[in-house]
């Protein structure tokens, strides 16, 4: 006899969406000097967030966290101008995406995304037995018109879009996103991933409209706020949609450290502005390094720069491997049409300097 295994899970490959830098370091037996591949906040967290965690470690870590994340939701809802019941916190956008697929679709449903878009979303789609339907990028942008049309054609239950985009760093302005939302069949849920919203130009994020009953927007503390290791993100939308999360979510999924650090980070507006400027400066530096080496950087609104390497998939793979040999961790898009590029996260100045020194030798 053997225990029962869900047939959907049994049919899945034994993989994760992407290889972690730590796994590469273990395989190589040495640590990276420049960690420029995971789109983290390399500049670290706000001092107020660090201090809040230290206090919590001393006084509160023995407790179970507030399962409603009330004070964090309160701190988020006020600047957004939305009620508390329109917002839910979760263990990063990744955890919230899994809940969304589980709540708003059923096995066999078709779910539309761009070919080469954020792989963790695809991971959840497959894990719950849904069918992924993809649309190619157009000029390195997610093709909003084609996504809306495809979702209608295949009778999809939902569409996933990230704006600004991962892995290409491109973006649409808020008017284009609003027009896309209007064009989508109101019976199809739109997942709008705004993980890089803090680093995007003004006007990228459309106004909040809680009357839109088929839109859930996602944001995170992992990028500009430098709290990726704590796993805290949030979703907001019409209360009728958000309330469903409470039926299935892990109610202790956003721990005490994450809650207090995120609240303190929200109050550190001057620190955030400084960090966003450092990210913008880093993007310019990476773009200049690419251009000086005969490569073509793609304009980015994120905390990374995707670089067209001018060759094919194999050429880009050799660049990623060669940089790893020189203690520099980067990643690359994997889908056809994008896989001739590499993606370099904004890091600290010394990390960018190492890239500048090593890339010419590699090429």
């Amino acid at each position: 006899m053997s225990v029962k295994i869900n047939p959907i899970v049994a049919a899945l490959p034994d993989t994760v969406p992407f290889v972690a830098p730590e796994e590469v370091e273990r395989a190589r037996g040495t640590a990276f000097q420049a960690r420029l591949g995971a789109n983290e906040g390399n500049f670290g967290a706000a001092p107020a967030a660090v201090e809040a965690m230290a206090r919590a470690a001393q006084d509160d870590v023995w407790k179970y966290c507030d399962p409603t994340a009330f004070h964090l939701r309160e701190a988020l809802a006020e600047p957004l101008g939305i009620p508390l019941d329109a917002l839910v916190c979760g263990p990063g956008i990744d955890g919230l995406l899994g809940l969304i697929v589980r709540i708003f679709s059923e096995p066999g449903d078709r779910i539309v995304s761009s070919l080469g878009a954020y792989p963790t979303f695809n991971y959840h789609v497959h894990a719950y037995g849904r069918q992924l339907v993809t649309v190619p990028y157009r000029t390195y942008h997610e093709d909003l018109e084609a996504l809306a049309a495809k979702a209608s054609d295949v009778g999809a239950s939902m569409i996933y879009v990230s704006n600004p985009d991962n892995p290409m760093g491109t973006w649409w302005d808020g008017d284009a996103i609003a027009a896309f939302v209007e064009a989508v069949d109101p019976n199809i849920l739109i997942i709008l991933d705004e993980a890089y919203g803090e680093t995007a130009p003004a006007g990228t994020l459309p106004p909040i409209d809680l009357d839109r009953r088929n839109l859930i927007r996602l944001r995170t503390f992992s990028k500009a706020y430098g709290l990726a290791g704590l796993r805290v993100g949030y979703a907001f939308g019409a209360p009728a949609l958000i309330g469903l999360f409470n039926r299935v979510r892990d109610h202790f999924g956003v721990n005490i450290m994450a809650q207090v650090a995120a609240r303190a980070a929200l109050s550190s507006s001057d620190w955030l502005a400084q960090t966003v400027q450092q990210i913008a400066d880093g993007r310019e530096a990476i773009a200049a390094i690419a251009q000086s080496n005969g490569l073509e950087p793609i304009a980015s609104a994120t905390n990374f720069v995707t670089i067209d390497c001018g060759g094919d998939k194999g050429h880009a793979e050799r660049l990623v491997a060669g940089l790893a040999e020189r203690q520099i961790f980067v990643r690359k898009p994997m889908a056809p049409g994008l896989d001739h590029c590499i993606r370099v996260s904004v890091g600290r100045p010394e990390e960018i300097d190492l890239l500048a020194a090593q890339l010419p030798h590699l090429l």
Side-chain angles (χ1 to χ4, degrees):
M1 295 181 63
S2 60
V3 298
K4 181 177 181 179
I5 301 174
N6 181 298
I8 294 172
V9 175
L12 293 171
D14 188 19
T15 60
V16 294
F18 38 74
V19 178
E22 292 83 1
E23 185 172 344
V24 180
E25 289 174 331
R26 287 190 291 270
R28 290 177 42 77
T30 183
F32 288 113
Q33 295 181 38
R35 185 173 166 127
L36 302 177
N39 301 349
E40 298 152 324
N42 290 34
F43 301 106
V50 176
E51 292 167 6
M53 285 188 284
R55 290 193 298 271
Q58 179 68 35
D59 300 331
D60 298 320
V61 76
W62 59 274
K63 306 174 185 175
Y64 284 110
C65 64
D66 176 0
T68 71
F70 176 83
H71 292 297
L72 175 55
R73 287 167 54 235
E74 189 176 50
L76 286 163
E78 182 178 358
L80 292 173
I82 61 176
L84 286 182
D85 61 357
L87 188 148
V88 63
C89 294
I93 285 178
D94 289 0
L96 291 165
L97 286 173
L99 290 174
I100 289 170
V101 173
R102 181 182 176 191
I103 295 168
F104 298 102
S105 65
E106 58 187 45
D109 276 8
R110 295 179 175 90
I111 295 176
V112 172
S113 182
S114 296
L115 179 62
Y118 189 46
T120 300
F121 178 67
N122 305 347
Y123 179 81
H124 291 304
V125 171
H126 295 308
Y128 284 108
R130 282 54 163 167
Q131 299 181 49
L132 184 68
V133 179
T134 58
V135 172
Y137 278 69
R138 176 166 55 88
T139 60
Y140 296 141
H141 286 71
E142 295 204 59
D143 191 334
L144 300 180
E145 183 177 345
L147 286 164
K150 178 64 73 173
S152 180
D153 290 346
V154 303
S157 60
M158 66 180 70
I159 307 176
Y160 172 82
V161 173
S162 58
N163 189 58
D165 175 68
N166 180 10
M168 302 313 291
T170 52
W171 71 100
W172 294 104
D173 65 28
D175 289 342
I177 294 294
F180 162 73
V181 170
E182 192 65 34
V184 171
D185 184 320
N187 295 308
I188 300 172
L189 179 69
I190 302 166
I191 308 166
L192 181 57
D193 185 340
E194 298 175 329
Y196 301 94
E198 287 83 6
T199 61
T204 300
L205 307 181
I208 294 173
D209 180 7
L210 297 184
D211 291 330
R212 178 62 61 176
R213 299 304 179 95
N214 68 326
L215 174 63
I216 293 177
R217 298 168 69 167
L218 300 166
R219 296 182 187 172
T220 183
F221 288 87
S222 295
K223 309 304 180 183
Y225 286 105
L227 296 174
L230 291 182
R231 312 307 306 128
V232 54
Y234 56 102
F236 59 94
L241 297 178
I242 299 302
L244 296 171
F245 284 80
N246 290 322
R247 302 183 182 185
V248 297
R249 68 182 177 86
D250 177 357
H251 287 78
F252 296 115
V254 184
N255 63 65
I256 280 181
M257 293 296 196
Q259 291 187 34
V260 300
R263 285 174 57 201
L266 285 171
S267 68
S268 303
S269 56
D270 289 345
W271 177 90
L272 178 63
Q274 175 184 326
T275 301
V276 169
Q277 184 59 56
Q278 288 176 300
I279 291 170
D281 293 343
R283 287 197 305 253
E284 290 185 6
I286 293 169
I289 292 167
Q291 290 171 331
S292 68
N293 284 279
L295 308 178
E296 185 61 37
I298 297 166
S300 173
T302 65
N303 67 346
F304 62 85
V305 177
T306 299
I307 300 170
D308 185 336
C309 298
D312 58 10
K313 172 184 176 181
H315 177 56
E317 289 175 343
R318 289 188 292 274
L319 286 176
V320 171
L323 288 169
E325 290 292 330
R326 289 159 175 80
Q327 311 304 315
I328 301 169
F329 171 67
V330 302
R331 285 195 173 120
K332 65 179 293 300
M334 302 302 291
L338 310 178
D339 58 6
H340 58 286
C341 300
I342 64 172
R343 193 194 68 194
V344 181
S345 302
V346 173
R348 299 183 302 275
E350 61 270 23
E351 294 176 296
I352 302 301
D353 289 345
L354 185 62
L355 174 71
Q358 293 297 326
L359 185 59
H361 298 297
L362 174 61
L363 290 171

